[in-house]
Amino acid sequence: MGLIVEEEESDVVLVPPSNFSMVEDGIFRSGFPQSDNFPFLDTLNLRSIIYLCPEPYPEENLEFLQSRNIRLFQFGIEGKTEPCVSIPKDTIMEALKVLIDVRNHPVLIHCKRGKHRTGCLVGCLRKFQNWCLSSVFEEYQHFAGVKSRITDLRFIETFEVMCLRQCLYSIIYQYQGYGSNKRRLLYKEDKLQKPQVTSV
């Protein structure tokens, strides 16, 4: 899958990362971006990337982020398949705080293949957005395909979004206009908790 942009001297093929999709306005998801995906990522005007793997970010990718002033938020979640290895709820909670902060948008969420760890984070976001559980599971399974994990679905089902609402404290979303997607974030500077940023 690719888009062709015609220029005067040459054609640039825009290739999205594997499993790429828009989650909603200003939020995207995908597998791990490769160098041939960089021109496509340029079109998204990203402000941040949420990276859900424990491995160090490749130097080539770091250079791309630095040249575009894109912030990297890394939350190291092991990509284990064993049922006894659970996804850390605290880590997902911290990633969600970064994800719902519109100051970090446009933002790309990715892990290695954009299926399990990314699917869990997006699934928890959907619960925060009051999606019904069947729709949350359907979206997860759409991206995970035959690699769908029952442990991920159980994690999403039992994830308590009320904890996230209680942790937001001074962050208030205001929706302007009926049915509008435009959002503004108000902050009380004396209580603002700044997210941790990984140096790039």
Side-chain angles (χ1 to χ4, degrees):
M1 176 181 171
L3 301 174
I4 299 179
V5 178
E6 293 186 0
E7 296 185 348
E8 292 182 3
E9 296 183 0
S10 62
D11 291 340
V12 177
V13 179
L14 301 180
V15 181
S18 63
N19 244 354
F20 176 83
S21 183
M22 176 185 281
V23 176
E24 67 168 40
D25 188 30
I27 301 177
F28 307 92
R29 61 178 291 169
S30 75
F32 206 106
Q34 306 299 320
S35 58
D36 61 341
N37 305 135
F38 292 168
F40 176 83
L41 295 183
D42 271 333
T43 67
L44 304 180
N45 297 312
L46 294 175
R47 187 174 293 172
S48 310
I49 283 182
I50 295 177
Y51 172 48
L52 300 175
C53 301
E55 294 81 15
Y57 218 53
E59 190 63 33
E60 186 177 22
N61 292 58
L62 286 175
E63 290 175 1
F64 172 78
L65 300 191
Q66 289 172 339
S67 66
R68 273 76 173 175
N69 293 316
I70 299 172
R71 289 172 291 179
L72 176 66
F73 296 90
Q74 182 170 2
F75 300 93
I77 301 174
E78 294 289 342
K80 302 294 185 182
T81 59
E82 294 83 0
C84 60
V85 179
S86 60
I87 297 170
K89 289 186 178 180
D90 290 345
T91 305
I92 289 291
M93 185 70 73
E94 291 304 310
L96 276 171
K97 291 178 187 178
V98 172
L99 180 59
I100 64 175
D101 189 337
V102 295
R103 295 174 300 175
N104 299 319
H105 296 180
V107 57
L108 172 69
I109 311 160
H110 79 81
C111 50
K112 188 174 181 181
R113 296 185 177 88
K115 295 181 179 181
H116 305 112
R117 287 166 282 194
T118 298
C120 286
L121 180 58
V122 172
C124 293
L125 171 68
R126 297 309 193 192
K127 287 192 69 177
F128 181 74
Q129 295 174 320
N130 294 318
W131 278 35
C132 67
L133 201 56
S134 60
S135 296
V136 175
F137 285 176
E138 182 180 352
E139 182 180 41
Y140 170 89
Q141 290 166 336
H142 171 76
F143 289 95
V146 296
K147 299 286 188 178
S148 178
R149 295 176 182 166
I150 189 67
T151 51
D152 289 349
L153 298 175
R154 189 177 298 118
F155 173 84
I156 295 169
E157 182 177 10
T158 59
F159 186 82
E160 283 292 336
V161 294
M162 279 304 298
C163 297
L164 178 61
R165 293 192 175 101
Q166 292 166 359
C167 287
L168 290 178
Y169 297 121
S170 60
I171 303 178
I172 304 168
Y173 278 91
Q174 287 191 339
Y175 290 82
Q176 300 174 338
Y178 180 77
S180 172
N181 287 326
K182 185 177 181 182
R183 292 168 294 180
R184 185 175 61 189
L185 215 50
L186 301 181
Y187 300 92
K188 294 180 182 177
E189 295 299 332
D190 56 329
K191 293 183 180 180
L192 180 61
Q193 294 183 344
K194 297 182 179 180
Q196 297 297 316
V197 181
T198 301
S199 300
V200 295

